[in-house]
Amino acid sequence: MHAVSWLHKVFDMIIDYHAHLKWNRDSDTYDVESCLHDMDENKIDMRMISALEGYDIVHQNNVVAEAIKQHPDKLIGCAVLNPKERDVMKELHRVIDMGVFSAIELDSNEHCYFPEIAPHMEEIMTVCEEKGIIVNVFTGWGCRTMPAQWAFYADRHPDLVMVLLHMGTTDFGYGCVELVKNRKNLFVETSCMYEFPILRKAFANIPQDKFLFGTHYPHKFSDCSIHTFDLLKMEPSLSEALYNKNAQRLLHL
């Protein structure tokens, strides 16, 4: 039986916690319809989206906000911030005031900075902690993306919810497990993590309420992200926590 149909036989909903909108560089436009079509094709019920690529972060976040307003039953908003930008705090307060974003995304690889010394980072974390905004952070692939660099802020802000996107991938996956299992406010998202030894260690050591399923659409095929877990023969309770229950709780759905 196809993985998607099997999952829906076990429980009613799949939530993709991490995806982006396709960007056309020449026209500076974003393809929301392709995102929705991919969701329908892969039986994904809800998806968190951001517009990571683009010429102007304000415009990128506006596109996502409009998509959320048009499809509130399908899409969940995540605003992108670059701490190196002069008006980053103004943009943070603007997206919070819009009332359609559940999280912000910080990508130290895309925007080229070291998290532990990036400007405005402490201010960003403080505001998100006070406002109850989830902070999604890029981990994996290089010296600017180590989970420990982000855990530095999770430790300083115990009421902040931080999600380590990609689980540190193959570069930092094992270390990511050690960090998350001892910190209540750290969670992991699964896209781009295909190393079974790391996944097995994670499922054996991290509480099941800390896992969030993600696809990293359109950079990865959604069905590959879903099929990643087929051979792991997870307990139904873990599958349900991964694919929907944890995201529902975290996002108050």
Side-chain angles (χ1 to χ4, degrees), residues 91-107:
E91 179 62 5
L92 173 58
H93 287 289
R94 187 184 78 90
V95 296
I96 290 174
D97 290 343
M98 293 174 81
V100 296
F101 290 99
S102 300
I104 66 162
E105 183 171 353
L106 296 167
D107 192 321

Side-chain angles (χ1 to χ4, degrees), residues 109 138 140-146 149 171-172:
N109 186 56
F138 182 92
W141 303 310
C143 61
R144 292 181 171 88
T145 67
M146 294 183 285
Q149 292 167 304
D171 282 8
F172 309 113

Side-chain angles (χ1 to χ4, degrees), residues 24-218:
N24 184 308
R25 180 179 293 273
D26 294 331
S27 62
D28 191 19
T29 56
Y30 296 86
D31 194 343
V32 178
E33 291 306 313
S34 288
C35 176
L36 294 168
H37 176 73
D38 178 80
M39 291 173 66
D40 290 340
E41 198 171 56
N42 290 283
K43 303 297 185 288
I44 293 170
D45 299 277
M46 298 192 77
R47 168 174 272 170
M48 180 178 284
I49 59 167
S50 64
L52 183 61
E53 299 175 296
Y55 296 120
D56 177 10
I57 281 179
V58 172
H59 173 59
Q60 292 161 226
N61 290 334
N62 284 344
V63 168
V64 172
E66 186 58 33
I68 304 306
K69 292 174 184 176
Q70 293 293 324
H71 307 279
D73 58 329
K74 301 283 287 184
L75 301 176
I76 304 161
C78 180
V80 172
L81 293 181
N82 180 356
K84 293 165 64 176
E85 291 198 344
R86 180 178 297 175
D87 294 330
V88 64
M89 295 310 299
K90 178 181 178 181
E91 179 62 5
L92 173 58
H93 287 289
R94 187 184 78 90
V95 296
I96 290 174
D97 290 343
M98 293 174 81
V100 296
F101 290 99
S102 300
I104 66 162
E105 183 171 353
L106 296 167
D107 192 321
S108 52
N109 186 56
E110 178 75 16
H111 295 133
C112 195
Y113 58 83
F114 289 96
E116 71 272 31
I117 58 172
H120 301 292
M121 195 64 79
E122 186 65 35
E123 296 172 83
I124 292 170
M125 300 298 177
T126 298
V127 171
C128 289
E129 183 179 31
E130 291 173 351
K131 300 292 186 179
I133 300 296
I134 300 169
V135 177
N136 297 332
V137 298
F138 182 92
T139 64
W141 303 310
C143 61
R144 292 181 171 88
T145 67
M146 294 183 285
Q149 292 167 304
W150 294 111
F152 170 79
Y153 293 103
D155 289 341
R156 294 166 68 93
H157 298 273
D159 293 326
L160 175 75
V161 173
M162 180 178 287
V163 177
L164 303 177
L165 302 175
H166 314 307
M167 292 180 64
T169 65
T170 52
D171 282 8
F172 309 113
Y174 289 109
C176 185
V177 173
E178 295 303 317
L179 286 171
V180 172
K181 71 179 185 180
N182 295 318
R183 289 170 171 84
K184 292 182 179 180
N185 59 339
L186 283 183
F187 295 76
V188 288
E189 179 270 326
T190 61
S191 65
C192 305
M193 173 52 77
Y194 309 122
E195 290 288 332
F196 276 20
I198 298 175
L199 284 169
R200 288 192 177 100
K201 179 173 181 176
F203 291 142
N205 287 274
I206 297 175
Q208 69 178 27
D209 63 357
K210 287 180 169 288
F211 292 97
L212 298 160
F213 168 73
T215 63
H216 203 224
Y217 169 90

